[in-house]
Amino acid sequence: MSLTRLDKYLCDGNVGTRSKVKELLKAGRVRVNDTVVKDGSVKINTDSDKVYFDGRELTVEKLRYFMLNKPAGCVSATKDKLSDTVLDMLKGEDTRDLFPVGRLDKDTEGFLLITNDGELAHNLLSPKKHVEKKYYVRLNGQISEEAVRKVEDCIDIGDDKPCLPAKVEVLKEDEVNITITEGRYHQVKRMFQAVGLEVIYLKRISMGKLSLDETLAPGEYKKLGKEDIEQIR
Ligand code: URA
């Protein structure tokens, strides 16, 4: 159930500013189901109540957010002819207006945010915002201190510009966490390739302040609430 104040709902539906909405309510131009409501503080259930302004039903786009633990083998797209997409993982949800925020490679697992909130997606993906993305990485060999230093320190991966600084946390000789603030094509794989190592397993474990819920098995997802989104906004 999703409860919200009537006046907020009317503002979100672009009926008018807060003061205009107050006026319209007072004038009896707003109905919730069969009842004229004049008090903007009344809570409505946006899943089941119908709100009418001057007799016409108001529809307010609802912003929705899902945390998917992306499994390997599906693509970060909304449609694909050959493979399952990340939207196919959201079984039982209406996915028509949803899209993944950014891309993970087909063989990468982990946290993928799926939403219909274009503004949030834009902010999270904007190169100017430097949102931190943390990945768990297994390598095909031992990583040296020198390689760690190189990967952290603006490594050149053959693009126009070197990478921005990264943070590497060594977990085992061939396992690390890496935090980057960009989202270039195959970036993590290419950063390690540049020091002669191959990424054999890659999983995103957080984006901004929001971490993957480790109780989600690959392929499982959960809905995120307002509080979760505030952490990442
Ligand atoms: N870096 C990669 O190389 N692949 C991903 O899927 C994400 C980051």
Side-chain angles (χ1 to χ4, degrees), residues 104-105 108 135 186-189 202:
L104 292 176
D105 297 338
T108 300
Y135 295 86
H186 293 333
Q187 179 164 348
V188 172
K189 291 173 184 164
L202 185 59

Coordinates of all heavy atoms in Angstrom, one line a residue, residues 104-105 108 135 186-189 202, ligand 1:
L104 N 25.8 -3.6 -17.0 CA 26.8 -4.5 -16.6 C 27.0 -5.5 -17.8 O 26.0 -5.8 -18.5 CB 26.3 -5.3 -15.3 CG 26.2 -4.5 -14.1 CD1 25.6 -5.4 -12.9 CD2 27.5 -3.9 -13.6
D105 N 28.2 -6.0 -17.9 CA 28.4 -7.0 -19.0 C 27.6 -8.2 -18.8 O 27.2 -8.5 -17.7 CB 29.9 -7.4 -19.0 CG 30.8 -6.2 -19.3 OD1 30.4 -5.2 -19.9 OD2 32.0 -6.3 -19.0
T108 N 28.8 -10.3 -16.1 CA 29.0 -9.7 -14.7 C 27.7 -9.9 -13.9 O 26.6 -9.9 -14.4 CB 29.2 -8.1 -14.9 OG1 30.4 -8.0 -15.7 CG2 29.4 -7.4 -13.6
Y135 N 33.2 -3.0 -7.0 CA 33.1 -4.3 -7.6 C 34.0 -5.3 -6.9 O 35.1 -4.9 -6.4 CB 33.6 -4.3 -9.1 CG 32.7 -3.4 -10.0 CD1 33.0 -2.1 -10.1 CD2 31.7 -4.0 -10.7 CE1 32.2 -1.3 -11.0 CE2 30.9 -3.3 -11.6 CZ 31.2 -1.9 -11.7 OH 30.4 -1.2 -12.5
H186 N 33.5 -1.9 -20.4 CA 34.4 -3.0 -19.9 C 35.5 -2.4 -19.0 O 36.6 -2.9 -19.0 CB 35.1 -3.7 -21.0 CG 34.2 -4.6 -21.9 ND1 33.0 -5.1 -21.4 CD2 34.3 -5.0 -23.1 CE1 32.4 -5.8 -22.4 NE2 33.2 -5.7 -23.5
Q187 N 35.2 -1.4 -18.2 CA 36.2 -0.6 -17.6 C 37.1 -1.4 -16.6 O 38.3 -1.4 -16.7 CB 35.7 0.6 -16.8 CG 36.8 1.4 -16.1 CD 36.3 2.8 -15.7 OE1 35.3 3.3 -16.1 NE2 37.1 3.4 -14.9
V188 N 36.4 -2.2 -15.7 CA 37.2 -2.9 -14.7 C 38.1 -3.9 -15.4 O 39.3 -4.1 -15.1 CB 36.3 -3.5 -13.7 CG1 37.0 -4.4 -12.7 CG2 35.5 -2.4 -12.9
K189 N 37.5 -4.6 -16.3 CA 38.3 -5.7 -17.0 C 39.5 -5.1 -17.7 O 40.6 -5.6 -17.7 CB 37.4 -6.4 -18.1 CG 36.3 -7.3 -17.4 CD 35.4 -7.8 -18.5 CE 34.3 -8.6 -17.8 NZ 33.1 -8.8 -18.7
L202 N 33.3 -11.1 -12.0 CA 33.1 -9.7 -11.6 C 31.7 -9.5 -11.1 O 30.7 -10.0 -11.7 CB 33.3 -8.8 -12.9 CG 33.2 -7.3 -12.7 CD1 34.3 -6.8 -11.8 CD2 33.4 -6.6 -14.1
Ligands
URA1 N1 33.5 -3.1 -15.7 C1 33.5 -4.1 -16.5 O1 34.5 -4.5 -17.1 N2 32.4 -4.8 -16.7 C2 31.2 -4.5 -16.1 O2 30.2 -5.2 -16.3 C3 31.2 -3.4 -15.2 C4 32.4 -2.7 -15.0

